């Protein structure tokens, strides 16, 4: 019987070897009531479905710690949350149910960076992992092939005492052609990652594991959740135009971009719209490469238009149409798309090595250049920081792009002071709204404030922001503030 794929060759059937087949209820019953459960899933795809639902229906008094490296689907983010089975959770949540439980502190939620949570679980003492529950499209006695995302699955599988594999038959076997599973070594003897270009492959199409860890294989046929991206708004299109103008100037300015430009976009409707619109930008004869964490529908538009050399990521965050587009022609897309573990896709050294232009959105930013990606009013958690910190901190050029206002112009997203900071003024170079572009590189705090207000603030709020800056700049302070007055903007 085949114990592992032959080298990195194709896997032609889903089940290999004498495997412990169980149903989801049996697998869930084998998980202790207070277990730490590590799951696959990133970008709302590639996550286990059946076992989390069985845990949600379990009549025991569960108090689970659940860890995943990116957002997951409703089976975890709604059903398992609403069952009250989760006591503690890392590191991203997406649904209104999870958001409510987090803000009520019914779940102790800890937010972590996407690149580092694998190491934190495996070596850093973040949790004491008991079982990994992962989705696969094929499984053998000591290996499995992931489905539509990878995330931190290889690290989670190494760290957990036990392993449950959900074998999902709705996911095409051809997805294996996308995967490039490479595991960094153990610190302090970790060697540099031998990746010289985003399109290169340095790993395998499967994740290996100790066969004694495998306690069950659960067969499922439940499709992934899919994204729903809104149609681009006028503000989105104006932001795309402003971003394109900035990129055109930057390509002419910096010799780094003489031959190629490496781009990254954050997940969401705006990021997807920016990807789709940039296919119209004149990149000349430069290679355009995507090196990020998520592949969205807009990247398929660029690939199909012949405007993108290759795309490297850890997950496919697609609409239903985008997923159908991928599944209908996986092998063709695999010529240009590589899925990697998140500790490679979001690796600080690789982001730096490739000179990435990172483009991410946020909830708000302040006039001095501090960015809030996660909390409303400085207190209420929305989703999580995800991989934005990885790219904001390590990209050659970091861009924060978002509309200048919310609620039809009633709320400014450019504020005097943001009361929660995910990315400091040291991390972001460029701010883009539908109003314009603020390049704050090399500027002092007050100079940054002047440029941000002038170029990015909505006209309804620009005068009030100027008035605030005019009043506080009389202080003998490097970063002058009137905190009570700033708080009225929250």
């Amino acid at each position: 019987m085949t114990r592992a794929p032959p080298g990195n060759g194709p896997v032609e059937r889903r089940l290999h070897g004498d495997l412990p087949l169980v149903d989801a209820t049996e697998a869930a019953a084998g998980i202790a009531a207070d277990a730490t459960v590590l799951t696959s899933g990133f970008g709302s795809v590639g996550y286990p479905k059946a076992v989390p639902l069985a845990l949600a229906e379990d009549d025991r008094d569960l108090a689970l710690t659940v860890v995943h490296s990116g957002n997951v689907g409703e089976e975890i983010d709604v059903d398992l949350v609403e069952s009250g089975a989760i006591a503690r959770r890392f590191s991203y949540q997406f649904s209104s149910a999870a958001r409510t439980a987090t803000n009520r502190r019914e779940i102790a939620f800890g937010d972590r960076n996407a690149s580092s949570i694998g190491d934190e679980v495996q070596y850093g003492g973040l949790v004491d992992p008991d079982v990994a529950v992962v989705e696969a499209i094929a499984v053998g006695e000591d290996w499995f092939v992931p489905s539509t995302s990878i995330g931190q699955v290889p690290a989670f599988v190494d760290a957990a005492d036990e392993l449950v594999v959900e074998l999902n038959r709705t996911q095409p076997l051809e997805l294996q052609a996308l995967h490039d599973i490479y595991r960094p070594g153990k610190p302090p003897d970790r060697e540099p990652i031998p990746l010289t270009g985003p399109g290169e492959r340095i790993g395998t199409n499967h994740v290996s594991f100790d066969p004694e860890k495998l306690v069950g294989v659960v067969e499922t046929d439940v499709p992934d959740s899919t994204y729903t991206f809104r149609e681009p708004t006028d503000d989105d299109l104006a932001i795309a135009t402003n971003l394109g103008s900035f990129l055109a100037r930057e390509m002419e300015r910096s010799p780094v971009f003489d031959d190629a430009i490496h781009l990254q976009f954050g997940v969401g409707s705006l990021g997807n719209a920016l990807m789709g619109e940039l296919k119209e930008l004149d990149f000349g004869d430069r290679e355009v490469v995507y090196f990020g964490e998520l592949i969205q529908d807009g990247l398929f538009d660029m690939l199909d238009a012949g405007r993108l050399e290759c795309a490297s990521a850890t997950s496919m965050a697609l609409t239903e149409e985008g997923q159908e587009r991928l599944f209908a022609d996986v092998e063709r897309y695999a010529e240009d798309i590589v899925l990697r573990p998140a500790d490679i896709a979001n690796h600080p050294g690789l982001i730096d090595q490739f000179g990435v232009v990172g483009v991410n959105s946020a909830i708000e930013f302040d006039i001095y250049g501090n960015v809030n990606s996660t909390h409303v009013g400085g207190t209420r958690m929305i989703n999580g920081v995800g991989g934005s910190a990885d790219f904001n901190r390590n990209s050659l050029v970091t861009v924060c792009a978002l509309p200048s206002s919310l609620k039809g112009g009633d709320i400014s997203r450019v504020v005097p002071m943001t009361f929660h900071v995910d990315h400091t003024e040291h991390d972001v170079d460029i701010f883009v709204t539908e109003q314009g572009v603020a390049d704050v590189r090399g500027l002092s705090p007050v100079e940054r404030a002047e440029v941000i207000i002038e170029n990015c603030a909505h006209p309804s709020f620009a005068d009030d922001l100027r008035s605030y800056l005019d009043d506080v700049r009389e202080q003998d302070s490097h970063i002058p503030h009137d905190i009570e007055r700033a708080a009225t903007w929250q």
Side-chain angles (χ1 to χ4, degrees):
M1 295 184 179
T2 303
R3 287 182 56 82
N8 199 28
V11 177
E12 296 178 353
R13 64 183 193 278
R14 295 184 184 272
L15 288 168
H16 297 252
D18 185 16
L19 302 174
L21 299 178
V22 298
D23 65 24
T25 301
E26 185 179 353
I31 296 173
D34 61 350
T36 294
V37 183
L38 315 178
T39 82
S40 60
F42 205 112
S44 294
V45 298
Y47 61 93
K49 286 87 169 169
V51 174
L53 280 177
L55 286 168
E57 296 168 358
D58 197 306
D59 59 8
R60 292 176 294 164
D61 186 14
L62 300 181
L64 303 173
T65 294
V66 176
V67 185
H68 40 84
S69 49
N71 51 316
V72 289
E74 292 187 356
E75 291 85 348
I76 298 173
D77 220 33
V78 176
D79 297 279
L80 193 57
V81 166
E82 290 183 340
S83 74
I86 301 178
R88 184 174 299 276
R89 186 176 182 185
F90 304 93
S91 64
Y92 198 93
Q93 43 86 45
F94 195 64
S95 70
S96 60
R99 194 175 299 132
T100 297
T102 294
N103 286 313
R104 289 177 177 171
R105 299 191 301 282
E106 296 165 355
I107 292 176
F109 176 78
D111 201 12
R112 313 302 300 171
N113 292 340
S115 67
S116 60
I117 192 169
D119 275 0
E120 290 174 337
V121 166
Q122 196 166 4
Y123 310 121
L126 181 70
V127 293
D128 184 11
D130 296 302
V131 58
V133 184
V134 302
E135 182 176 84
I137 56 174
V139 59
E141 293 173 341
D142 60 359
W143 58 270
F144 66 87
V145 178
S147 59
T148 41
S149 71
I150 299 174
Q152 294 286 4
V153 163
F156 287 175
V157 169
D158 280 351
D161 296 330
E162 296 181 337
L163 173 65
V164 175
V165 177
E166 285 197 8
L167 181 68
N168 194 326
R169 293 186 177 276
T170 66
Q171 309 276 23
L173 270 173
E174 290 80 5
L175 287 170
Q176 65 189 285
L178 300 173
H179 301 330
D180 185 49
I181 313 296
Y182 174 87
R183 289 290 290 122
K186 180 180 178 181
D189 300 317
R190 179 172 286 173
E191 296 181 351
I193 296 167
L195 190 67
T196 59
E200 185 181 2
R201 295 176 185 270
I202 57 175
T204 69
N205 61 1
H206 59 276
V207 176
S208 298
F209 59 84
D210 180 347
E212 294 188 1
K213 290 187 176 187
L214 185 62
V215 297
V217 175
V218 178
E219 296 190 76
T220 70
D221 58 359
V222 181
D224 277 325
S225 299
T226 54
Y227 271 83
T228 301
F229 296 120
R230 56 172 168 71
E231 287 296 313
T233 65
D234 289 342
D235 282 351
D236 293 338
L237 297 177
I239 292 170
T241 298
N242 291 336
L243 176 62
S245 297
F246 165 75
L247 289 175
R249 293 192 299 271
E250 194 69 6
M251 287 187 290
E252 290 301 314
R253 184 198 69 82
S254 175
V256 168
F257 307 120
D258 284 351
D259 300 317
I261 184 167
H262 293 70
L263 300 170
Q264 175 265 337
F265 293 92
V267 69
S269 294
L270 176 58
N272 189 60
L274 294 177
M275 291 180 206
E277 291 302 313
L278 284 185
K279 69 179 183 293
E280 307 299 332
L281 183 64
D282 182 8
F283 291 99
D285 58 359
R286 297 173 181 85
E287 287 187 350
V288 183
V289 178
Y290 182 80
F291 187 81
E293 62 179 3
L294 291 162
I295 290 174
Q296 302 179 88
D297 290 41
L299 279 182
F300 283 92
D301 295 338
M302 292 185 72
L303 283 168
D304 289 345
R307 304 304 307 279
L308 195 64
E309 181 72 15
C310 65
S312 169
T314 196
S315 178
M316 314 287 288
L318 303 174
T319 64
E320 184 175 355
E321 179 185 356
Q323 196 171 84
E324 290 173 355
R325 190 173 173 184
L326 170 67
F327 288 179
D329 208 356
V330 176
E331 292 180 337
R332 178 174 71 85
Y333 282 117
E335 295 176 3
D336 303 314
I337 292 176
V338 185
L339 290 188
R340 313 181 187 281
D343 49 11
I344 306 299
N346 289 46
H347 191 277
L350 294 176
I351 296 169
D352 173 72
Q353 175 181 330
F354 297 137
V356 171
V357 178
V359 183
N360 289 278
S361 192
I363 292 172
E364 63 186 4
F365 58 86
D366 69 27
I367 59 176
Y368 296 115
N370 299 291
V371 177
N372 167 29
S373 295
T374 58
H375 287 75
V376 171
T379 62
R380 289 181 289 117
M381 167 63 76
I382 298 299
N383 297 324
V385 73
S388 59
D390 299 324
F391 287 91
N392 283 347
R393 175 61 59 89
N394 298 293
S395 293
L396 176 64
V397 181
T398 297
V399 179
C400 180
L402 70 164
S404 64
S405 66
L406 281 172
K407 305 289 186 182
D410 290 340
I411 299 174
S412 180
R413 298 178 75 172
V414 183
V415 296
M417 179 180 185
T418 180
F419 280 69
H420 178 88
V421 178
D422 292 293
H423 319 290
T424 73
E425 75 273 19
H426 311 293
D427 298 332
V428 183
D429 304 309
I430 312 296
F431 294 88
V432 182
T433 71
E434 81 286 356
Q435 301 298 320
V437 176
D439 185 339
V440 299
R441 291 173 290 187
L443 302 183
S444 71
V446 169
E447 289 171 335
R448 287 198 299 269
E450 292 170 341
V451 171
I452 286 172
I453 293 169
E454 182 64 28
N455 293 283
C456 292
H458 192 279
S460 299
F461 301 99
D463 285 345
D464 288 339
L465 290 168
R466 291 189 189 97
S467 174
Y468 176 89
L469 181 61
D470 287 343
D471 291 344
V472 299
R473 72 196 306 166
E474 300 303 319
Q475 303 171 11
D476 291 331
S477 303
H478 185 233
I479 302 178
H481 265 307
D482 180 337
I483 294 177
E484 290 186 0
R485 184 172 167 186
T488 65
W489 288 68
Q490 295 296 314

